C-alpha cells in the first residue's frame, strides 16, 4: 500500500523525498563510509549524466559520486533507513525536477572518520581529491566540496610531527601526508580563484610563502589572488620566485600586473 506519510525537503540544494513505504528494521543510516545497495525505478526527466540512476539495482559507495546528479542521490540516500522506499526529486536549473523512486535495500556500515587509522584516511583523501579533479571543470562547486573533504581527512592528524609513530605497518611517511595536503590546498585555491574569493586564496596558500622552491601552480594562484586584490608588488614578487619566463600563464600574468600597476600608479600620481 502506498503511504506518502513523510516529506523531507532541503530547499538550499533543491532536494526532497516523500516516503512511500517503510518497514522499520534498524535506526542506522548510511554514514560517510558506507556502501548501499539501492533499487531504482520509474526514473523521469533524467537529462544529465548519472551512474546511479541508469540501472535498476546498484551498489553506491558514499563519497564516490563523480556527477552532480549522483552527488545529490547520495545526499538523499543519507536520509534513508534500510527497507525505506521513497519518491525522490532533484531540482535542476533548466528542466524542472528529476524524479525517481529509490529503495534502500542494504547498508554495509563503514564506520565514521574518527574511527579510522591514518593510512585509511590517507587513501580516502586521495579518493576525494581524485573525484574533485574529475568534477572540477564541469561542477566546480561540488569539486570544492570534495577537496574540502580530502583536507578534512588529513587535518585530523596535523601537525604530522608524530604521525610516523602510528604508521609502522605501512609504507606511508610524514612527507606523504604533507605533500598530499599541500596538493589538496592547491586544488582548493583553484576553486576559490574561480569563485573570486581571493583573500581566502592567500590564507589557503600561506604554506607556500616560506617554501624555498614553491610550485608554479602555487605561485600562479597566489599571484592571481594578489593581482585581483590590487596588491601588484606582492604579485610581481611572487611570480619572480620561480623561473616564470618558460611558463606562458605566468608570463601573461606578469604583463597584466605591470600594466595595471602602471595605470594604478598614474591614477594616484595625478590626484
Amino acid at each position: 500500500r502506498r503511504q506518502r506519510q513523510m516529506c523531507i525537503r532541503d530547499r538550499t540544494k533543491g532536494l526532497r523525498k516523500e516516503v512511500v513505504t517503510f518497514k522499520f528494521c534498524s535506526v542506522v543510516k548510511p554514514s560517510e563510509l558506507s556502501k548501499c545497495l539501492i533499487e531504482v525505478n520509474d526514473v523521469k526527466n533524467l537529462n544529465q549524466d548519472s551512474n546511479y540512476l541508469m540501472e535498476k539495482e546498484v551498489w553506491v559507495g558514499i563519497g564516490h559520486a563523480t556527477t552532480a546528479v549522483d552527488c545529490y542521490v547520495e545526499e538523499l540516500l543519507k536520509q534513508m533507513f534500510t527497507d525505506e522506499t521513497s519518491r525522490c526529486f532533484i531540482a535542476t536549473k533548466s528542466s524542472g525536477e528529476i524524479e525517481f523512486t529509490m529503495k534502500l535495500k542494504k547498508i554495509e556500515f563503514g564506520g565514521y572518520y574518527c574511527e579510522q587509522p591514518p593510512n585509511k584516511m590517507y587513501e580516502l583523501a586521495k579518493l576525494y581529491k581524485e573525484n574533485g579533479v574529475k568534477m572540477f571543470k564541469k561542477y566546480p562547486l561540488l569539486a570544492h566540496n570534495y577537496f574540502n573533504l580530502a583536507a578534512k581527512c588529513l587535518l585530523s592528524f596535523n601537525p604530522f610531527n608524530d604521525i610516523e609513530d602510528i604508521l609502522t605497518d605501512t609504507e606511508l611517511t610524514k612527507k606523504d601526508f604533507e605533500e598530499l595536503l599541500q596538493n589538496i590546498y592547491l586544488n582548493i585555491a583553484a576553486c576559490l580563484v574561480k569563485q573570486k574569493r581571493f583573500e581566502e586564496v592567500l590564507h589557503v596558500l600561506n604554506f607556500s610563502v616560506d617554501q624555498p622552491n614553491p610550485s608554479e601552480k602555487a605561485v600562479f594562484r597566489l599571484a592571481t589572488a594578489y593581482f585581483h586584490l590590487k596588491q601588484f608588488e606582492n604579485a610581481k614578487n611572487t611570480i619572480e620566485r620561480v623561473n616564470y619566463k618558460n611558463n606562458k600563464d605566468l608570463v601573461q600574468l606578469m604583463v597584466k600586473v605591470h600594466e595595471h600597476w602602471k595605470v594604478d600608479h598614474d591614477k594616484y600620481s595625478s590626484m
Side-chain angles (χ1 to χ4, degrees), residues 181-197:
L181 183 58
Q182 289 180 8
N183 285 331
I184 292 167
Y185 281 154
L186 286 174
N187 295 133
I188 292 174
C191 294
L192 293 171
V193 167
K194 205 171 185 69
Q195 298 169 47
K196 299 182 180 181
R197 294 160 61 181

Side-chain angles (χ1 to χ4, degrees), residues 52 56 89 110 170 177 193 224 252:
Y52 296 162
K56 183 174 181 179
F89 304 84
T170 74
F177 276 73
V193 167
T224 298
Q252 291 176 347

Side-chain angles (χ1 to χ4, degrees), residues 172-209:
L172 294 172
T173 65
K174 171 186 174 182
K175 185 178 179 181
D176 294 324
F177 276 73
E178 290 174 339
E179 289 181 349
L180 180 57
L181 183 58
Q182 289 180 8
N183 285 331
I184 292 167
Y185 281 154
L186 286 174
N187 295 133
I188 292 174
C191 294
L192 293 171
V193 167
K194 205 171 185 69
Q195 298 169 47
K196 299 182 180 181
R197 294 160 61 181
F198 300 114
E199 290 188 357
E200 293 176 63
V201 174
L202 304 186
H203 173 72
V204 169
L205 294 183
N206 186 57
F207 72 89
S208 69
V209 172

Side-chain angles (χ1 to χ4, degrees), residues 146-170:
Y146 266 133
F147 296 140
N148 286 344
L149 269 178
K152 178 181 177 181
C153 289
L154 299 182
L155 286 172
S156 56
F157 300 100
N158 192 42
F160 303 122
N161 296 333
D162 302 321
I163 198 168
E164 289 183 341
D165 294 338
I166 50 177
L167 291 173
T168 52
D169 296 330
T170 74

Side-chain angles (χ1 to χ4, degrees), residues 64-130:
H64 286 65
T66 54
T67 73
V69 170
D70 290 346
C71 283
Y72 294 129
V73 171
E74 289 186 13
E75 289 299 313
L76 290 163
L77 197 52
K78 290 176 188 177
Q79 306 304 318
M80 296 180 68
F81 296 99
T82 305
D83 272 345
E84 175 186 331
T85 300
S86 286
R87 187 65 179 169
C88 301
F89 304 84
I90 302 173
T92 64
K93 290 183 178 179
S94 57
S95 55
E97 288 184 319
I98 298 170
E99 299 182 31
F100 56 97
T101 299
M102 178 165 61
K103 179 178 181 179
L104 176 52
K105 302 182 73 173
K106 185 177 181 181
I107 300 174
E108 289 188 358
F109 186 70
Y112 301 100
Y113 288 145
C114 61
E115 303 170 337
Q116 307 307 311
N119 58 314
K120 173 75 171 179
M121 295 299 279
Y122 180 87
E123 294 303 321
L124 272 172
K126 283 179 63 179
L127 170 67
Y128 294 149
K129 179 185 182 299
E130 290 165 3

